[in-house]
């Protein structure tokens, strides 16, 4: 028997894994309720969870949403999973952070000096986080399918295409799709995408 591990995005929850149970009826589908929110800490949580699943199941399949995909790529698990499904993945965190710094009108000098700066749009900017992202080179070799919405405001098509090309991932674009797949049409597209690939 195979296992599917679901890694949610920001503001999501492990309970979202319930949606995928009907899509993988022959697998044990588990959502990880991670407790930390930095790539170096959450990566460790994901690594431990996948290692445990790998000891019990023949294959482990990863479904990761948004920042959950970024955390997963920081977990050193690509040699332990059979394949990955990334939904609206954050694939260039440095670019996203520097974009947010521009939106908040924060300079690198200010961020380094303050350490953490709160923004009006609800995101905390962290110098430690940015420094980690710049120093940690992501290596990802697992066979990966990516679902991306053309109206994703966090990641450009150019950025996601570049990542897909560099990592031999297959990219599917939903025209009119958003970063958060949640409408009836978007979820129908997502379900069809997975069914076609299983």
């Amino acid at each position: 028997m195979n296992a599917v591990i679901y890694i949610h995005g920001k503001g999501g929850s492990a309970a979202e894994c319930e949606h995928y149970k009907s899509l993988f009826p022959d697998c044990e589908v588990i959502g990880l309720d991670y407790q930390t929110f930095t790539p170096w800490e959450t990566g460790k949580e994901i690594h431990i969870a996948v290692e445990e699943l790998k000891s019990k199941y023949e294959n482990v399949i990863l479904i990761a949403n948004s920042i959950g995909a970024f955390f997963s790529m920081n977990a050193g698990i690509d040699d332990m999973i059979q394949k990955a499904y990334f939904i609206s993945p954050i694939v260039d965190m440095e670019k996203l952070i520097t974009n947010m710094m521009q939106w908040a009108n924060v300079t690198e000098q200010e961020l380094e000096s303050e350490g953490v700066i709160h923004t009006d749009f609800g995101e905390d900017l962290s110098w430690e986080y940015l420094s980690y992202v710049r120093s940690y080179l992501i290596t990802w070799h697992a066979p990966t399918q990516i679902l991306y919405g053309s109206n994703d405001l966090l990641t450009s098509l150019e950025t996601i295409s570049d990542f897909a090309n560099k990592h031999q991932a297959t990219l599917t674009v939903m025209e009119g799709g958003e970063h958060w797949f949640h409408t009836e049409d978007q979820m129908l597209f997502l379900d069809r995408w997975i069914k076609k690939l299983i």
Side-chain angles (χ1 to χ4, degrees), residues 84-143:
Y85 298 91
F86 284 174
I87 302 157
S88 304
I90 302 297
V91 296
D92 190 338
M93 183 58 82
E94 181 182 358
K95 185 175 281 188
L96 180 56
I97 293 171
T98 54
N99 283 346
M100 289 195 292
M101 287 168 66
Q102 288 177 346
W103 303 339
N105 202 23
V106 170
T107 66
E108 286 206 18
Q109 290 78 12
E110 288 170 334
L111 188 57
E112 184 176 12
S113 173
E114 294 288 327
V116 176
I117 293 178
H118 308 291
T119 67
D120 292 339
F121 48 85
E123 295 289 344
D124 286 348
L125 298 169
S126 160
W127 179 253
E128 183 184 20
Y129 204 126
L130 178 58
S131 300
Y132 171 87
V133 167
R134 285 178 169 165
S135 65
Y136 184 87
L137 182 66
I138 285 176
T139 55
W140 185 254
H141 306 294

Side-chain angles (χ1 to χ4, degrees), residues 31-174:
L32 178 64
D33 186 21
Y34 55 85
Q35 301 299 306
T36 57
F37 301 97
T38 60
W40 56 92
E41 293 173 307
T42 313
K44 285 178 186 171
E45 286 192 66
I46 294 169
H47 189 96
I48 290 166
V50 171
E51 213 167 31
E52 192 175 320
L53 288 175
K54 187 65 180 161
S55 69
K56 296 176 184 173
Y57 297 91
E58 189 176 349
N59 294 300
V60 179
I61 297 163
L62 170 69
I63 302 174
N65 202 329
S66 186
I67 200 170
F70 172 69
F71 289 152
S72 298
M73 289 190 290
N74 280 267
I77 59 169
D78 51 334
D79 61 339
M80 290 192 284
I81 61 170
Q82 185 190 37
K83 57 185 168 183
Y85 298 91
F86 284 174
I87 302 157
S88 304
I90 302 297
V91 296
D92 190 338
M93 183 58 82
E94 181 182 358
K95 185 175 281 188
L96 180 56
I97 293 171
T98 54
N99 283 346
M100 289 195 292
M101 287 168 66
Q102 288 177 346
W103 303 339
N105 202 23
V106 170
T107 66
E108 286 206 18
Q109 290 78 12
E110 288 170 334
L111 188 57
E112 184 176 12
S113 173
E114 294 288 327
V116 176
I117 293 178
H118 308 291
T119 67
D120 292 339
F121 48 85
E123 295 289 344
D124 286 348
L125 298 169
S126 160
W127 179 253
E128 183 184 20
Y129 204 126
L130 178 58
S131 300
Y132 171 87
V133 167
R134 285 178 169 165
S135 65
Y136 184 87
L137 182 66
I138 285 176
T139 55
W140 185 254
H141 306 294
T144 301
Q145 299 283 344
I146 299 172
L147 178 59
Y148 172 83
S150 66
N151 292 341
D152 190 322
L153 300 178
L154 295 184
T155 303
S156 70
L157 179 59
E158 181 185 5
T159 297
I160 201 82
S161 298
D162 184 53
F163 175 87
N165 290 334
K166 284 180 179 172
H167 296 84
Q168 290 80 53
T170 304
L171 175 61
T172 300
V173 178
M174 179 185 178

Side-chain angles (χ1 to χ4, degrees), residues 173-184:
V173 178
M174 179 185 178
E175 288 302 324
E178 302 167 88
H179 181 75
W180 179 32
F181 276 68
H182 66 291
T183 68
E184 189 176 339

